[in-house]
Amino acid sequence: MSRPAHALRWTAVAEELQANVDVGLTTAEAKQRLEEHGRNELGEAGGVNPGKIMVRQVANAMTLVLILAMAVSFGIGSYIEGGVVAAVIGVNITVGFVQEFKAAKTMDSLRSLSSPTATAVRDGQTVTVPTLMVMPGDMVEMKTGDSIPADVRIIEAVNFETDEALLTGESLPVRKVAEDVFDAEIGPGDRLNVAYSSSNVTKGRATGIVFATGMHTEIGSIAAALRKKDSKLRQVKRKPDGTAKPYRYAQAAALTVSDGIGHFLGVSVGTPLQKKLSRLAILLFFIAVVCALIVLGANDFSSRQEVIIYAVATGLSMIPASLVVVLTITMAAGTKRMIERHVIVRNLRSLEALGVVTDICSDKTGTLTQGKMLAKKAWIPAKGTYTIGNANEPFNPTQGGISYSKKEPRYVSENEPEKQSSYAELVQDNEALKEYLRVASLANLAHVHQTEDGAWNARGDPTEIAIQVFASRFNWNRRQSTAGEQPAWKLLSEFPFDSDVKKMSVIYRDSNTNKLFAFTKGAVERVISSCSTYESQSKEGMTTMTDAFREEILQNMEGLAKLGLRVLALASREYKEEYHDGVEIDRGTVEKELTFRGLIGLYDPPRPETAESVRQCHEAGIEVHMLTGDHPGTARAIAAQVGILPSKIDTLPKDVADSMVMTASQFDKLTDEDIDVLPVLPLVIARCAPNTKVRMIEALHRRKKFCAMTGDGVNDSPSLKRSDVGIAMGMAGSDVAKDASDIILTDDNFASILAAIEEGRRTFDNIQKFVLHLLAQNVAQALVLLIGLVFKDAENLSVFPLAPVQILWIIMVTSGLPDMGLGFEVASPDIMQRPPQSLKRGVFTIEVMVDMLVYGLWTAALCLASFVLVLYGFGSGRIGIGCNESIDTCEEVFRARATCFATLTWLSLFLAWEVVDTRRSFFRMTPDSKRYITQWIHDVWRNPFLFWSVIAGFVLSFPLLYIPVINEKVFKHTGISWEWAIVFITAFLFFAGVETYKFAKRRYFRNKAKKLGSGDVDDVENKVFRRYLTDSSLGSEKSRTKLLQQYPQQHQAPESGGKKEKLAERVVKLSPKTGSHSGLGKKKRTGVQQVGADPSEEDRLPDDIAKFESGLPGVELRADPSERTNTSSIKTEVKDEDDILTDEDHIPTNEEAEAMIKDECVD
């Protein structure tokens, strides 16, 4: 350019950059400028570092054990074993490097996908583009919360302030202007007409032209300083005078070394699961050392070569060398699958966390709904109600008719016929409507216009677009009033929507009269509290606003909200205070003494897939909460439509409905202790403020819940950071919200959250599967070698049943490749029909630990049996000399070792298929299939990588047994013939044992589910909302009576005094205030129970008891009236000691209770 951008008027900047301020760059121009200027990046030296990846392949406990084994083998002259171990190390490092490099590249590409975005005007349309793709000449729009994509010359600014602390060190935001021009030599901090790359918008909005990108920006000139790495040395703790004692230096040095070792071994870097597995590897390393010492001790610590080799083999048997590599591959594969389902994972930690989410707190607009607003109804007090007909094009103001009724919305039914009218007819001589439309069009930042080809386009917030389209129907478009060199209305100041005040206001000057006017729109309650007058239908002129009329407005708002409409209020006044350009105006002086103009009802239909997604969340044991800024009526209507609230919400007692739906003011009035006493947390919180979301998350955390929170605005950042999984909106979300999040939804769709949770659970399951397979093999190998110490040769030295090279082969090939295949396994059929996992325990659940021991013991037993049968059962049982080295006098040992190796190989491969589903039979992994005989064939083929890994393991075992030199010199075994019969029999016994064990597991868990009552509820809605629909949520006898009448499963009570009633009284008594059950405990007691914050506590009302109460004929619910004053505790009235239930008492299910009652009645 001829001069710096800040020294030119913006029109000159646009001209020199050949930028069009109306339509922006065309796609072709943007592509050409990309080739000319390059990407908008600072050329950072980050990204994937191959050197670090290579170091990580060596710097882990698994590889260090292999290196140690290699050194020992070479040291004692076992060159074959040492060479094989060296080859294994090379292969392990190479495969690990390639796979982790690919995984790192994948994560790097994901980071670029989740990088900040910019709102640019391309081809006349407002589009969201990656900041990397912003080019000089682009026209960009910036608003509160955005990160400035490049150096921008501002052409329009409304209350626009940016935080430039990173660049200038100025701690306060800097207010920007558009029309001023500054001296070319002025410093960056004083260039008030320029917004700098990487600074954040703290207030207002602006439009500007990009004039510098990448390293040509101001921030680019200090990019090297930004890339300065933090020191890895621990700082010495010093006294205030700067001195330090000698031990402080030693302390800092020790901590630095400790950090380095932890980083080297991986126990202090990576995700929680990666660190946990690294610690496991170190534990296994020490176990391996102990096992080696046991071997040496069993052989009197002989220094002979074959004893040391036996010790090396035993140590190697404990090392799952491929564990870290397989984990990295599995998690990288999970992130790739996430992209296909519109989810960008910003860090691997969140991938683990997604699988254990118990609660989702979601916004409504654009997430649960389509985000395509359409103004359906408008109410003007002086005239009546206007209704817009159906329209398929939300941006087209010419589509859809209009009808009119003099009735107020509260008196207009949804399907009531209204008088059809024309827009021109309605606006003629209608000053009240004109004032209403003036507010609708001017208190609005959206652009609605028709293109040259006749299509209608819109830019801006969906809510404002809908209101602007409504005004445009009456030919009252904002552009007509504000465009041109001499506009009829000139914008002077803007007060953007704030989540605390919930209003948006502007000040305009009427060019005809030179008067100033303030126009306001926002939440109805907030706007009418600022109104002092309104225009009534009954008399002319302004009428003073009264509390009675405010109540009428709220009733009309309720009438619109019950139709599922989002309701806003419009107001205006003449602004008579003094106004000076550039002088800050107190918002409070603008938004007061307003004239109420009317209400507008906007309809944002739920996404078609939302209801099904919510239902699937409920089936998966995940509770969905809606936290929205909308009116409670609107929130309640939409929540009921999508299934967050029960379908019968309108027929439930008021106190039950109130426990499900609260306003932010109601929730915020409660102390933390009050919230913890609530039996259940609300499912919907309306008029939600940012702090309300944070308090909701903290309340969930105190109940030991693991929650995900969605957000899109700057004010959502605290709640996104505080939640366990922060979910930002990729389309509507601000850059600040994205930066605070863990994952980003590229389509802003609630269904994508469900998809992310499903993929998180799938990844968690797959990690659990291959960890189980690996460790079960380690247990089997270690047991075989440790028990094998009893096999002594003529020199009283132990003969190993498995040679070191055999063990390495099983670890790296027979187990390693199938484990990678298990990482790609598809989701199990019931993955979204079971409750979330516990992140605290992680993959090492009690079930996995037991499985590992059972499979390891059974495999070891069969392998040892095959070895013993060949050597002692069908052989002579004579063990020669040097059987760990040569076949000369040890042919039977070599044949027995070959049989043991073949058995372990087969069983390891079969186990990989068995752990695909840890409970279902291998022959019936797809429960609903009609292929009763052949289904297992289809199941093993659905994962091709696992299938071919298993086949390769089978095929490769034969050359190892029969190729000369390789078999006897390397693997220390020889070819077998009739011994294959033993291998086949052990394989059959393995399947029989594992299937029997799985059958026993299924029976155990089925019986456990029956005792807990989890399998008795077929209706998902009844199961999900049971805690709200039973006495745990009720506060009055009237509510319980009404519920008993509503739900068909309830039975009419018999006459008082019958045996049924007495039995019911004996089973349970409840307090009507809380309904918590106080008859259960670890000891017999009559004590007082405090209502805890965690509904999973043992004193909580068990599900089967709750169902028993709600479904049992003749249950009489009583309470001592004197106890009702204390809602934080419950007293149980006990007649005698037999009335107290203890742990030994069996709590009857519905069916058992019915049978008991019938039996007593017969008696």
Side-chain angles (χ1 to χ4, degrees), residues 640-662:
Q641 289 180 37
V642 301
I644 293 176
L645 294 175
S647 56
K648 299 179 181 180
I649 181 71
D650 291 330
T651 63
L652 294 177
K654 185 178 183 301
D655 50 355
V656 179
D658 289 346
S659 70
M660 297 183 178
V661 183
M662 297 177 70

Side-chain angles (χ1 to χ4, degrees), residues 49 82 94 116 176 270 280 321-322 342 535 574 598 613 631 652 690 731 855 889 928 933 946 986 997 1096 1132:
N49 189 327
T94 303
K176 299 294 183 177
L280 172 67
S322 58
H342 311 291
E535 190 174 354
E574 184 180 350
S613 298
H631 179 268
L652 294 177
M731 298 170 66
Y855 295 149
T889 61
D928 299 327
I933 305 298
L946 178 59
T986 54
Y997 171 66
S1096 65
T1132 303

Side-chain angles (χ1 to χ4, degrees), residues 142-146 148 154 157-164 172-177 195 199-206 584:
M142 300 156 287
K143 63 182 184 301
T144 304
D146 285 353
I148 307 297
I154 297 170
V158 180
N159 297 337
F160 188 64
E161 296 181 2
T162 63
D163 179 4
E164 299 176 352
L172 296 176
V174 180
R175 192 178 185 89
K176 299 294 183 177
V177 295
S199 58
N200 292 320
V201 181
T202 60
K203 184 179 179 182
R205 63 180 180 86
E584 186 83 19

Side-chain angles (χ1 to χ4, degrees), residues 519-544:
F519 303 108
T520 299
K521 73 172 187 294
V524 179
E525 302 95 327
R526 301 297 183 90
V527 172
I528 64 175
S529 66
S530 303
C531 292
S532 59
T533 58
Y534 70 97
E535 190 174 354
S536 70
Q537 198 170 24
S538 57
K539 54 183 179 181
E540 296 183 2
M542 293 296 115
T543 304
T544 302

Side-chain angles (χ1 to χ4, degrees), residues 666-725:
Q666 293 171 330
F667 190 78
D668 291 338
K669 284 179 183 177
L670 301 173
T671 64
D672 288 347
E673 292 74 16
D674 293 334
I675 294 173
D676 292 343
V677 168
L678 292 175
V680 285
L681 290 176
L683 294 173
V684 175
I685 300 181
R687 294 291 189 234
C688 204
N691 184 59
T692 311
K693 295 183 177 182
V694 174
R695 293 199 68 204
M696 182 67 169
I697 293 170
E698 291 174 346
L700 287 167
H701 285 166
R702 290 195 298 274
R703 296 180 182 230
K704 311 302 181 187
K705 301 293 185 180
F706 202 86
C707 61
M709 169 68 75
T710 68
D712 53 10
V714 179
N715 291 330
D716 291 327
S717 298
S719 58
L720 290 174
K721 282 285 189 184
R722 189 71 183 85
S723 64
D724 300 295
V725 181

Side-chain angles (χ1 to χ4, degrees), residues 552-611:
E552 289 185 25
I553 295 174
L554 293 176
Q555 290 176 10
N556 284 304
M557 176 190 66
E558 293 282 356
L560 294 173
K562 285 180 179 179
L563 302 177
L565 302 182
R566 181 184 183 188
V567 187
L568 300 178
L570 308 181
S572 65
R573 77 176 179 95
E574 184 180 350
Y575 186 73
K576 298 181 180 180
E577 287 81 354
E578 291 188 8
Y579 173 81
H580 301 283
D581 285 339
V583 177
E584 186 83 19
I585 299 176
D586 182 6
R587 184 169 189 159
T589 64
V590 178
E591 297 170 342
K592 69 174 185 177
E593 298 180 0
L594 299 168
T595 297
F596 177 71
R597 297 299 179 185
L599 303 177
I600 187 164
L602 309 171
Y603 182 60
D604 184 12
R607 293 177 182 266
E609 64 273 18
T610 297

Side-chain angles (χ1 to χ4, degrees), residues 1 5-6 13 17 136-137 151-153 194-196 209-213:
M1 292 190 296
H6 63 272
V13 174
L17 291 174
D151 284 0
V152 177
R153 175 60 168 92
V194 169
Y196 295 109
I209 300 173
V210 174
F211 66 86
T213 59

